[in-house]
C-alpha cells in the first residue's frame, strides 16, 4: 500500500452514520476500508498517517466553478485545493472558451474578463486550443515541464459545453431565430463537445448572446445532450421578478427534451422573492414525484457575484462587446439603456430596477480604476458628486466591460431552506478574478461544514458531506467517485469537524480555511499539514460513455 489513513472517522458520502476505520490507498484508488472491530490484520503501508480526531470524506465536488483559466495559470490553486475540493465543474453559465473560432475567442475573452481575466492583452494563458477536447487536453498537460510533481492541474475538472459560446460561434450576436443551417451548426458543436468529453450543456439566460435563444432552440440542443447521457445546467432567465416562472420554464423544457436538469446557483433573490424558497421547493418536489431527473446547486451566502455589464438590457449587447461600448457613448441610446436599467427593470438585472446601493465593485481589469473596489456604485458616485449611472458608465467604458461586482440581494431564510433539499449539491460559483472577490470562492465548503453543520445544526455532518460528494458524483455519472469505498478513486479530504471553518470574509475574501489539514487527489497529498504541496495530480474528468437508461 502507498498510504494508510489510520483510525479516521469515516463520513463516507452515503449520508449514513459515520464509523471508525483505517483506509488504505494504493495506485490512486482506495484499496481497503478496515472498520474498527472488524477483526483480522489492519492494513499497513509505506506511510501511515494518524487520522484520529479527524473526519475522512470523499473530496468535495464544486458543481459550479469559474476556474476555467485559473487552473491554467495558477498551479497552486489553493482557493479550491485548501477547501478540500478535488473536482470542479467548469464551462458554466453558457460562456467559456471552447468550442471557438478565432473571432469567437476574441469576443468571449472580452465579455467574461470580469469572471476570469484573460481579456485581450492578458497573456498569462496561451489560448492554443479551439475545441472542447483541445481544452481538456490542455488541462491534462497544463504545467508539463514546469518542474512540479506532475504535469496536470491542482484539482480535477469536468466541463460543460457553453451554449452562449456555441450560439456566438454559429450565428454571432444577433437576437433572432437561427436558420436551419445555424441550428444544425449548433447541434453539431454540442455533439462534438460531448463526444470529446463534456458532461453536459450550460446556459446563461440572462447573459448575451445565449439569452436570445428561444425554448424551442434550447430544447433542440438538450435533445442532443440527452442522447449522450449528459445534463442541462441553466442559469435561467430570472432570479428576481419572474423567478418561479423561470424555474418552471426550465423544468418543462427539460421534460420536453427528455434531458436531466441541474439548476445552477438555485436561489430566490431580490425583495420580490423574500421567503419564497418554499414555492421553488414545492415545484421541484412535484416534478420529482412525476419522474423528472432534477438536481441543483447553491452557495451558502446571500450576495451574488457577476459582472457589471451583465446588468444591462440584452438588446444593448446585440452585435457584441464593441457594439455595446458604442451604444454607451451615444447619448440617446445611453438614455434608453439607463431607463431599462433604473426604471423598468432590465432582463440583465432579472426584471428588477437596479438599486445602486446593492452593487459593490469587487474587481476591475484596468488598474487605474482600483479605487472603486470595495465600494458600492452609489457610494462612489456620492463621493464624486455625480449620479450612480454616470459612475457606472465610466466603469463600463474605461474598464472595457471588465468590471466584476457583488450584488447584495439575497435572503438567508431562502439560502437555508434550499440547502436542505434532498437534491441539493454544493457549488461555489466562485469568481477568482478581482481585488476583492466574493468569499464563496475561498470559503464555500468549509462554511457549509463549520457554520451550517457545527454552529447552526441545520444539517448533520453526514448529510452535508453527501450533498458535497456523492450527490454531485451521481449527477456527473461518475461511477468511481463521491464515496469512501474500496475501488473508488482516492480523492479524499481529512478535516477536523470541531474546528473546520471558512477564513474568507467580505473584508478579507482570499483568506484560506482552517481545520482541513490533508487533501488527496488521485491518492496523492495535495495539501499536507495544512500547506499546499507541489503535487499536480488533477486532470480532466471526461463524460462516462452512456449506454442508455
Amino acid at each position: 500500500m502507498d498510504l494508510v489513513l489510520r483510525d479516521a472517522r469515516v463520513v463516507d458520502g452515503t449520508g449514513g452514520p459515520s464509523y471508525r476505520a483505517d483506509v488504505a490507498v494504493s495506485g490512486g484508488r482506495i484499496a481497503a476500508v478496515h472498520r474498527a472491530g472488524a477483526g483480522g490484520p489492519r492494513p499497513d503501508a509505506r506511510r501511515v498517517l494518524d487520522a484520529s480526531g479527524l473526519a475522512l470524506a470523499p473530496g468535495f465536488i464544486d458543481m459550479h466553478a469559474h476556474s476555467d483559466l485559473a487552473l491554467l495559470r495558477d498551479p497552486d490553486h489553493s482557493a479550491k485545493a485548501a477547501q478540500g475540493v478535488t473536482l470542479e465543474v467548469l464551462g458554466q453559465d453558457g460562456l467559456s472558451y471552447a468550442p471557438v473560432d478565432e473571432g469567437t475567442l476574441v469576443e468571449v475573452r472580452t465579455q467574461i474578463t470580469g469572471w476570469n481575466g484573460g481579456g485581450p492583452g492578458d497573456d498569462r494563458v496561451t489560448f492554443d486550443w479551439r475545441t472542447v477536447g483541445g481544452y481538456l487536453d490542455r488541462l491534462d498537460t497544463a504545467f508539463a515541464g514546469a518542474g512540479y510533481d506532475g504535469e496536470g492541474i491542482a484539482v480535477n475538472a469536468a466541463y460543460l459545453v457553453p451554449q452562449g459560446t456555441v450560439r456566438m460561434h454559429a450565428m454571432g450576436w444577433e437576437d433572432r431565430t437561427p436558420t436551419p443551417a445555424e441550428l444544425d451548426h449548433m447541434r453539431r458543436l454540442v455533439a462534438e463537445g460531448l463526444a470529446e468529453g463534456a458532461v453536459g450543456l450550460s446556459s446563461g439566460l440572462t447573459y448575451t448572446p445565449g439569452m436570445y435563444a428561444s425554448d424551442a432552440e434550447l430544447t433542440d440542443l438538450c435533445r442532443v445532450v440527452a442522447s449522450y447521457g449528459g445534463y442541462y445546467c441553466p442559469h435561467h432567465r430570472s432570479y428576481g421578478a419572474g423567478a418561479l416562472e423561470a424555474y418552471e420554464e426550465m423544468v418543462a423544457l427539460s421534460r420536453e427534451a427528455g434531458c436531466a436538469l441541474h439548476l445552477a446557483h438555485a436561489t430566490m433573490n431580490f425583495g420580490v422573492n423574500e421567503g419564497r424558497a418554499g414555492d421553488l421547493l414545492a415545484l421541484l418536489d412535484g416534478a420529482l414525484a412525476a419522474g423528472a431527473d432534477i438536481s441543483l446547486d447553491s452557495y451558502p451566502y446571500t450576495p451574488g457575484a457577476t459582472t457589471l455589464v451583465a446588468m444591462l438590457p440584452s438588446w444593448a449587447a446585440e452585435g457584441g462587446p464593441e457594439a455595446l461600448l458604442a451604444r454607451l457613448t451615444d447619448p440617446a441610446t445611453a438614455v434608453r439603456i439607463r431607463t431599462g436599467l433604473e426604471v423598468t427593470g432590465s432582463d440583465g438585472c432579472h426584471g428588477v430596477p437596479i438599486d445602486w446601493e446593492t452593487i459593490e465593485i469587487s474587481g476591475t481589469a484596468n488598474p487605474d480604476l482600483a479605487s472603486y473596489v470595495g465600494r458600492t456604485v452609489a457610494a462612489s458616485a456620492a463621493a464624486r458628486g455625480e449620479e450612480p449611472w454616470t459612475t457606472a458608465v465610466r466603469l463600463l467604458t474605461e474598464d472595457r466591460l471588465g468590471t466584476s461586482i457583488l450584488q447584495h440581494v439575497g435572503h438567508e431564510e431562502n439560502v437555508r431552506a434550499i440547502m436542505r433539499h434532498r437534491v441539493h449539491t454544493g457549488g461555489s460559483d466562485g469568481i477568482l478574478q478581482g481585488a476583492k472577490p466574493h468569499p464563496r470562492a475561498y470559503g464555500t465548503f468549509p462554511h457549509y461544514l463549520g457554520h451550517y453543520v457545527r454552529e447552526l445544526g441545520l444539517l448533520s455532518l453526514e448529510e452535508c458531506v453527501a450533498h458535497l460528494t456523492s450527490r454531485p458524483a451521481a449527477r456527473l455519472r461518475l461511477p468511481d467517485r463521491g464515496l469512501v469505498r474500496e475501488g473508488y478513486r482516492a480523492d479524499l479530504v481529512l478535516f477536523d469537524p470541531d474546528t473546520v471553518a471558512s477564513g474568507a470574509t467580505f473584508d478579507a475574501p482570499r483568506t484560506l480555511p482552517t481545520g482541513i489539514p490533508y487533501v488527496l487527489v488521485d491518492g496523492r497529498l495535495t495539501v499536507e499539514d495544512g500547506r499546499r504541496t507541489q503535487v499536480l495530480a488533477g486532470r480532466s474528468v471526461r463524460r462516462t460513455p452512456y449506454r442508455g437508461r
Side-chain angles (χ1 to χ4, degrees):
M1 302 293 182
D2 300 324
L3 175 69
V4 168
L5 307 173
R6 181 79 78 205
D7 197 29
R9 175 188 174 185
V10 177
V11 187
D12 65 7
T14 63
S18 58
Y19 54 88
R20 295 286 171 188
D22 298 337
V23 176
V25 173
S26 182
R29 294 189 178 270
I30 299 170
V33 179
H34 186 274
R35 295 196 183 213
R42 300 175 78 174
D44 206 352
R46 287 187 289 273
R47 178 176 181 184
V48 177
L49 195 157
D50 181 8
S52 58
L54 299 176
L56 174 65
F60 304 135
I61 297 176
D62 189 340
M63 286 295 287
H64 194 103
H66 289 284
S67 303
D68 306 47
L69 300 185
L71 281 166
L72 295 175
R73 61 176 175 245
D74 177 17
D76 182 81
H77 200 50
S78 284
K80 296 299 178 67
Q83 293 187 61
V85 171
T86 58
L87 171 60
E88 299 184 88
V89 184
L90 314 175
Q92 299 286 352
D93 296 327
L95 292 165
S96 191
Y97 306 96
V100 292
D101 57 17
E102 297 300 322
T104 302
L105 178 60
V106 171
E107 292 190 325
V108 77
R109 287 179 64 181
T110 299
Q111 185 182 14
I112 55 175
T113 298
W115 289 356
N116 301 318
D122 183 344
D123 61 0
R124 292 175 294 169
V125 172
T126 300
F127 290 85
D128 54 0
W129 67 85
R130 295 296 179 267
T131 65
V132 169
Y135 174 70
L136 296 177
D137 289 343
R138 183 78 158 78
L139 293 174
D140 290 341
T141 58
F143 296 98
Y148 295 94
D149 188 358
E151 61 180 23
I153 48 180
V155 303
N156 297 308
Y159 189 75
L160 295 162
V161 178
Q163 172 259 330
T165 302
V166 164
R167 198 176 207 269
M168 199 186 308
H169 191 317
M171 56 183 295
W173 290 75
E174 297 183 46
D175 183 2
R176 61 172 175 81
T177 301
T179 66
E182 289 166 340
L183 185 57
D184 282 344
H185 188 184
M186 285 189 272
R187 288 194 197 100
R188 185 168 64 253
L189 289 172
V190 172
E192 288 170 355
L194 287 158
E196 291 165 4
V199 294
L201 176 75
S202 76
S203 284
L205 300 179
T206 64
Y207 300 127
T208 54
M211 69 190 303
Y212 298 146
S214 67
D215 284 0
E217 179 182 326
L218 295 170
T219 300
D220 274 344
L221 299 184
C222 284
R223 288 193 177 106
V224 176
V225 176
S227 72
Y228 281 87
Y231 68 93
Y232 180 44
C233 181
H235 164 127
H236 51 275
R237 297 192 194 273
S238 175
Y239 289 82
L244 195 63
E245 292 78 9
Y247 282 114
E248 290 171 343
E249 175 191 9
M250 294 298 100
V251 170
L253 186 156
S254 65
R255 181 186 300 116
E256 176 68 21
C259 187
L261 177 66
H262 181 84
L263 297 168
H265 38 59
T267 59
M268 293 288 282
N269 287 341
F270 300 90
V272 294
N273 290 315
E274 186 171 2
R276 295 193 67 201
D279 296 340
L280 167 60
L281 300 181
L283 167 67
L284 297 181
D285 286 338
L288 290 163
D293 183 359
I294 300 177
S295 55
L296 60 87
D297 65 66
S298 74
Y299 47 84
Y301 300 87
T302 52
T306 186
T307 56
L308 184 57
V309 65
M311 299 290 99
L312 303 184
S314 61
W315 62 263
E318 188 172 4
E322 295 304 321
L324 171 57
L325 288 166
R327 291 185 180 108
L328 286 169
T329 57
D330 175 71
T333 310
V335 167
R336 198 178 150 210
I337 295 172
R338 180 180 184 179
T339 300
L341 193 59
E342 294 185 339
V343 179
T344 59
S346 77
D347 46 6
C349 195
H350 308 276
V352 177
I354 199 164
D355 178 357
W356 295 112
E357 294 279 359
T358 69
I359 306 298
E360 177 185 350
I361 304 305
S362 59
T364 60
N366 181 348
D368 294 339
L369 301 172
S371 62
Y372 289 89
V373 173
R375 307 174 73 184
T376 66
V377 172
S380 291
R384 298 178 64 90
E386 62 189 20
E387 294 183 313
W389 167 250
T390 303
T391 301
V393 171
R394 177 181 294 107
L395 283 163
L396 288 163
T397 54
E398 294 183 14
D399 210 20
R400 293 192 58 79
L401 313 181
T403 305
S404 52
I405 65 169
L406 304 184
Q407 193 171 20
H408 296 270
V409 293
H411 307 285
E412 178 67 14
E413 70 274 21
N414 286 348
V415 170
R416 294 186 187 189
I418 291 167
M419 74 168 63
R420 298 182 68 182
H421 196 271
R422 66 186 186 280
V423 299
H424 169 266
T425 67
S428 71
D429 196 12
I431 294 175
L432 300 169
Q433 186 70 10
K436 197 176 179 186
H438 197 304
R440 68 194 185 191
Y442 283 73
T444 286
F445 295 87
H447 196 50
Y448 271 120
L449 296 168
H451 184 58
Y452 288 97
V453 171
R454 184 180 64 250
E455 295 176 1
L456 298 182
L458 193 69
L459 298 165
S460 71
L461 182 62
E462 291 83 356
E463 183 183 6
C464 185
V465 167
H467 286 228
L468 308 181
T469 60
S470 62
R471 288 186 189 176
R475 166 52 67 221
L476 295 168
R477 297 187 189 274
L478 301 178
D480 58 357
R481 298 178 195 265
L483 295 172
V484 179
R485 182 171 291 175
E486 291 181 6
Y488 274 55
R489 303 301 311 183
D491 293 344
L492 300 166
V493 54
L494 276 163
F495 64 93
D496 185 344
D498 296 329
T499 64
V500 63
S502 170
T505 65
F506 287 98
D507 289 331
R510 295 186 188 275
T511 307
L512 297 180
T514 56
I516 305 179
Y518 300 99
V519 181
L520 290 84
V521 174
D522 200 35
R524 305 181 66 198
L525 285 162
T526 58
V527 174
E528 184 172 3
D529 294 325
R531 295 187 296 274
R532 180 73 173 90
T533 70
Q534 291 286 300
V535 169
L536 293 176
R539 296 180 61 84
S540 65
V541 173
R542 310 196 188 207
R543 183 187 55 81
T544 302
Y546 183 55
R547 295 176 176 83
R549 294 195 176 109

